[in-house]
Amino acid sequence: MTRRFLFVLGSARADGNTELLARRAAEQLPPDVEQQWIDLAEHPVPDFEDLRHDSDHVRPTEGNLALLLDATLAATDIVIASPLYWYSVSAQTKRYLDYWSGWLRTPGLDFKATLAGRTLWGVTALAHSQPEVADPLVGTLNNSAAYMGMRFGGVLLGNGSKPGDVLNDTEALARAKTFFAQEAPLARFVYED
């Protein structure tokens, strides 16, 4: 299967530091790797309604939900590019991940089986000098990948607050050059170690 990267942009700001860092990392991908970029601010979805125990799960066939679902199912690699908001992913990103719960129960999708073995990555910019403050974001993505049976490539961290600041983080830009080249291990919950 040809690699196909889906970049899910979860910032409230266009061309923010997280997106700039994600684009720098994506520039390193081979030319034959397909890329699809979806900005959640430009493709908003309604709040997720938990219908787990109801029987009317229906595959979305139009609109932003259908776009996101189809792109997610087609991707071999999903990159969550969310700034660090209150120590985790943004509200838009969390809403997208919440829809995974509904897609798990949509007849005919086999959502979990389809994503199993594929790779989840993260990119984030934070305005803090200690990278440990991003641990909740990293945990959210790792645990989501572990639950789905996916591989987890980790999170590319960059530092920046004002627009464009991340371009001054030479260490993050250096990591971006090889970030997607690394072998992503199968995700595991912390208690499995």
Side-chain angles (χ1 to χ4, degrees), residues 16 32 47 49-50 60 92 100 153 161 176 183:
D32 63 329
D47 287 336
E49 185 180 354
D50 187 354
Q92 299 96 310
W100 286 23
S161 180
E183 187 66 32

Side-chain angles (χ1 to χ4, degrees), residues 15 20 28 67 79-80 91 107-108 116 120 129 149 159 173 187:
D15 300 318
L20 290 173
Q28 310 306 313
L67 171 73
V79 182
I80 301 294
L120 185 65
S129 59
N159 192 281
L173 295 177

Side-chain angles (χ1 to χ4, degrees), residues 84-100:
L84 186 71
Y85 287 165
W86 286 102
Y87 310 103
S88 191
V89 296
S90 68
Q92 299 96 310
T93 302
K94 178 66 169 69
R95 191 175 296 122
Y96 163 69
L97 291 173
D98 284 347
Y99 272 97
W100 286 23

Side-chain angles (χ1 to χ4, degrees), residues 80-153:
I80 301 294
S82 172
L84 186 71
Y85 287 165
W86 286 102
Y87 310 103
S88 191
V89 296
S90 68
Q92 299 96 310
T93 302
K94 178 66 169 69
R95 191 175 296 122
Y96 163 69
L97 291 173
D98 284 347
Y99 272 97
W100 286 23
S101 296
W103 297 338
L104 283 169
R105 291 161 180 81
T106 302
L109 279 189
D110 293 324
F111 189 72
K112 188 172 184 178
T114 299
L115 265 56
R118 297 185 183 186
T119 305
L120 185 65
W121 308 84
V123 178
T124 192
L126 57 149
H128 199 282
S129 59
Q130 300 300 322
E132 294 82 5
V133 300
D135 285 353
L137 179 145
V138 174
T140 293
L141 298 181
N142 176 76
N143 291 341
S144 297
Y147 180 79
M148 299 298 288
M150 298 176 76
R151 298 184 172 282
F152 183 56

Side-chain angles (χ1 to χ4, degrees), residues 25-86:
E27 288 172 0
Q28 310 306 313
L29 291 169
D32 63 329
V33 172
E34 294 181 50
Q35 297 181 32
Q36 182 175 9
W37 294 75
I38 298 179
D39 186 336
L40 295 174
E42 294 176 8
H43 298 90
V45 296
D47 287 336
F48 175 70
E49 185 180 354
D50 187 354
L51 300 173
R52 250 183 302 193
H53 304 291
D54 296 344
S55 60
D56 58 349
H57 294 274
V58 178
R59 179 187 180 124
T61 56
E62 59 185 35
N64 292 336
L65 278 176
L67 171 73
L68 281 165
L69 173 59
D70 291 343
T72 301
L73 291 171
T76 60
D77 296 78
I78 300 168
V79 182
I80 301 294
S82 172
L84 186 71
Y85 287 165
W86 286 102

